[in-house]
Amino acid sequence: MAKTELTIEEKLKALYKLQLVDSELDKIQILRGELPMEVKDLEDEIVGMETRIGRLESGINEIDQEISGYQGAIKDAQALMVKYKKQMDDVRNDREFKALTKELEDQELDVKLAEKRIRDSDKKKETRVAVLDGVKKKLEDMKSVLEVKQSELAKIIEKTEKDEAKLQKASEKAKKSIEARLIKSYTKIRNNYRNGLAVVAVERDACGGCFNKVPAQIQLELSLTKKIIACEHCGRILVDPEILEKKKAAKA
Ligand SMILES: [Zn+2]
């Protein structure tokens, strides 16, 4: 970049201006608060729940298939029983009678066994259906919570998106006027602090970031704007308020 090198004073002013813009952007983020994350978490949870509902439903389907299998077995056994009972009428000897009786008893047992299995499956199904209903109910609740949060977030975004876009542009523009090395430290310091302050003015002899006293010697050096100076306590870049005053006066 063939840019004329800025003076330290110009660099500090540019950094301070960038800080003001970024602080406005931070305010918008604070206004949105936890909402974007809450919405994202809810959406993820809902997807997980829908998967769970799908699994529960296919489990219940399997049980239904089991039950209809048992019902089919009962029908088959009953058909055989009808057949054997009919054969009883034409029975010719004791051996045949015994054999048919045995067959009938076997079929009766099969029917009883299938009936017991149906009862067991019904119970299993009942439990699963209760779980499914619970999950479905919870899903409905979550969906309505999500709806509320989404519309809240949409309202805030609608209110702030124009400002945000403008500020974003201003931030990008301000960054372009400052050398990459400085932007890197600026960003690093900014990320270190929850309030996002990386460039602060000295106010009442104290650092505007950590409020620790700034020694007179340092304040003097700051006013000379020979180099960029960081607060010895918090590492934030310090700016002599006089420089900023000058800027305000120039603007007015
Ligand atoms: Zn400090």
Side-chain angles (χ1 to χ4, degrees):
M1 270 192 277
K3 232 188 286 176
T4 37
E5 184 72 4
L6 297 177
T7 66
I8 296 291
E9 185 174 330
E10 284 166 338
K11 282 181 189 176
L12 284 168
K13 275 183 185 169
L15 275 171
Y16 193 78
K17 196 177 148 199
L18 173 63
Q19 176 69 71
L20 290 181
V21 170
D22 284 346
S23 290
E24 284 302 309
L25 278 169
D26 291 344
K27 270 190 211 159
I28 291 176
Q29 291 308 321
I30 290 165
L31 196 64
R32 287 179 194 168
E34 304 279 294
L35 267 178
M37 219 164 66
E38 281 171 17
V39 165
K40 174 80 178 64
D41 285 351
L42 267 173
E43 284 169 346
D44 289 348
E45 253 183 278
I46 284 172
V47 169
M49 251 182 189
E50 277 165 348
T51 311
R52 190 167 171 221
I53 286 173
R55 269 205 310 269
L56 281 165
E57 278 172 344
S58 68
I60 289 167
N61 265 340
E62 272 168 35
I63 297 175
D64 280 338
Q65 274 165 18
E66 271 171 29
I67 291 173
S68 63
Y70 299 140
Q71 282 164 341
I74 290 174
K75 261 191 202 148
D76 290 349
Q78 280 168 339
L80 281 174
M81 282 163 78
V82 169
K83 190 179 116 191
Y84 294 146
K85 273 178 189 157
K86 223 171 160 194
Q87 285 175 357
M88 281 283 209
D89 296 338
D90 306 321
V91 102
R92 279 168 302 181
N93 53 45
D94 196 44
R95 195 179 53 83
E96 267 183 28
F97 179 80
K98 271 186 182 157
L100 275 173
T101 309
K102 172 83 176 55
E103 284 294 340
L104 269 170
E105 278 170 1
D106 283 353
Q107 295 310 316
E108 242 170 86
L109 268 177
D110 281 355
V111 168
K112 281 199 175 121
L113 188 65
E115 282 170 347
K116 187 187 176 298
R117 283 181 173 155
I118 288 173
R119 282 195 301 274
D120 290 346
S121 293
D122 276 340
K123 258 187 221 158
K124 210 161 71 179
K125 184 178 165 179
E126 224 174 273
T127 318
R128 302 264 173 101
V129 167
V131 173
L132 178 63
D133 287 348
V135 178
K136 276 183 174 168
K137 170 86 183 54
K138 215 175 149 196
L139 177 66
E140 284 316 304
D141 292 347
M142 285 176 83
K143 276 184 175 170
S144 45
V145 171
L146 177 65
E147 236 171 78
V148 171
K149 288 193 188 283
Q150 274 173 332
S151 79
E152 257 177 72
L153 182 59
K155 266 184 221 157
I156 295 173
I157 288 175
E158 201 194 326
K159 251 194 254 170
T160 53
E161 68 187 344
K162 266 191 197 156
D163 289 343
E164 192 185 21
K166 248 190 267 172
L167 289 165
Q168 208 90 55
K169 253 191 193 163
S171 175
E172 298 297 325
K173 204 180 147 202
K175 274 180 190 153
K176 269 182 202 153
S177 71
I178 303 165
E179 61 194 276
R181 186 183 56 85
L182 266 181
I183 291 296
K184 212 175 150 191
S185 352
Y186 166 83
T187 309
K188 204 174 152 196
I189 303 169
R190 222 171 102 68
N191 289 338
N192 275 344
Y193 294 105
R194 280 182 65 116
N195 64 8
L197 285 181
V199 184
V200 291
V202 176
E203 287 160 28
R204 282 189 228 110
D205 300 329
C207 161
C210 68
F211 307 110
N212 278 299
K213 203 165 159 47
V214 178
Q217 175 59 32
I218 301 276
Q219 289 191 55
L220 179 69
E221 279 179 45
L222 278 173
S223 70
L224 296 174
T225 60
K226 286 266 157 55
K227 57 178 181 181
I228 288 171
I229 300 170
C231 167
E232 56 187 354
H233 300 284
C234 67
R236 290 181 173 99
I237 296 164
L238 292 173
V239 182
D240 179 358
E242 291 280 323
I243 302 171
L244 307 169
E245 287 304 320
K246 265 195 266 172
K247 186 186 153 204
K248 268 184 212 158
K251 235 185 180 181

